[in-house]
Amino acid sequence: MAAERSDTTALALKILVAGGFGVGKTTLVGAVSEIRPLRTEEQLSQAGQLVDDTGGVDRKTTTTVAMDFGRITIRSGLSLYLFGTPGQDRFWFLWDELSQGALGAVVLADTRRLEACFPAVDYFEHRHIPFVVAVNCFPGARAYGAHDVSRALDLDRGTPVVLCDARDRDSGKEVLIRLVEYAGRVHTARLLDSVS
């Protein structure tokens, strides 16, 4: 008897997790990943203090110097490969390589330092890569609604803003689901525009 063949084809989608220094990118990738995440964290150095803005993240002792990598299965046959980008300006040359072939991106934001996510928002807007803004709700930070954050970041109409806790697997998974749904709509609209 021949081995039974599965009719479901596995689909793997590439997702970037981006944002400013210390907003929780490594934490989010680690919280949702079903595999042991790959991390390229190094200790913050004296030399780095001369070029990196660590204001507002005084207790942070490490930084991502290349990328974080994790994987999560959203449903049978659909997996997301997560690539966490480095948050410091001096490592931005890696973003172009990491963004190749990405379905979309999550831009993590910290309302205490909202300006830190402006470069990531600009990066994805200029490259027409669909993204959602995920507001990482840090303990003790003033709470803002999604509409307030969208207005403060001057986001294009329809760009989703979701509140999350990067430490919580379910919260992170909801952010990723919103991104996949949104990116799917954007890519479908572009495809329809190109054939009409």
Side-chain angles (χ1 to χ4, degrees):
M1 193 175 216
E4 191 171 314
R5 202 179 108 205
S6 172
D7 288 330
T8 60
T9 303
L11 179 62
L13 303 173
K14 183 179 185 180
I15 303 294
L16 297 184
V17 179
F21 179 65
V23 295
K25 300 176 298 291
T26 298
T27 301
L28 178 68
V29 171
V32 301
S33 183
E34 63 199 18
I35 62 171
R36 183 173 172 222
L38 167 70
R39 293 188 171 126
T40 58
E41 295 256 301
E42 292 294 332
Q43 292 292 318
L44 290 172
S45 66
Q46 291 287 88
Q49 289 178 351
L50 300 174
V51 292
D52 298 326
D53 180 11
T54 58
V57 287
D58 304 328
R59 295 188 301 181
K60 187 166 174 55
T61 60
T62 61
T63 187
T64 300
V65 295
M67 68 173 184
D68 298 312
F69 175 78
R71 184 189 74 216
I72 180 173
T73 301
I74 297 295
R75 62 169 170 74
S76 178
L78 176 60
S79 295
L80 304 181
Y81 290 162
L82 308 174
F83 291 82
T85 65
Q88 294 148 293
D89 295 349
R90 62 188 164 122
F91 296 121
W92 273 52
F93 66 92
L94 295 169
W95 283 46
D96 288 334
E97 290 297 322
L98 290 174
S99 66
Q100 291 293 318
L103 173 76
V106 172
V107 175
L108 270 176
D110 176 352
T111 58
R112 300 169 302 177
R113 301 176 296 114
L114 200 55
E115 69 282 353
C117 72
F118 284 145
V121 167
D122 289 343
Y123 182 90
F124 296 118
E125 283 182 346
H126 285 98
R127 286 161 182 80
H128 307 288
I129 297 173
F131 67 95
V132 300
V133 173
V135 178
N136 193 3
C137 298
F138 285 91
R142 183 174 169 202
Y144 291 92
H147 181 71
D148 294 327
V149 172
S150 179
R151 209 171 46 221
L153 293 175
D154 193 27
L155 296 176
D156 290 341
R157 185 183 174 128
T159 302
V161 175
V162 294
L163 306 179
C164 75
D165 181 342
R167 303 166 299 179
D168 182 75
R169 179 178 171 79
D170 291 334
S171 181
K173 188 174 179 179
E174 284 302 314
V175 168
L176 295 171
I177 290 169
R178 285 284 301 275
L179 171 62
V180 170
E181 291 170 347
Y182 174 65
R185 289 191 305 271
V186 169
H187 288 296
T188 299
R190 289 178 186 163
L191 182 62
L192 292 173
D193 282 348
S194 71
V195 296
S196 60

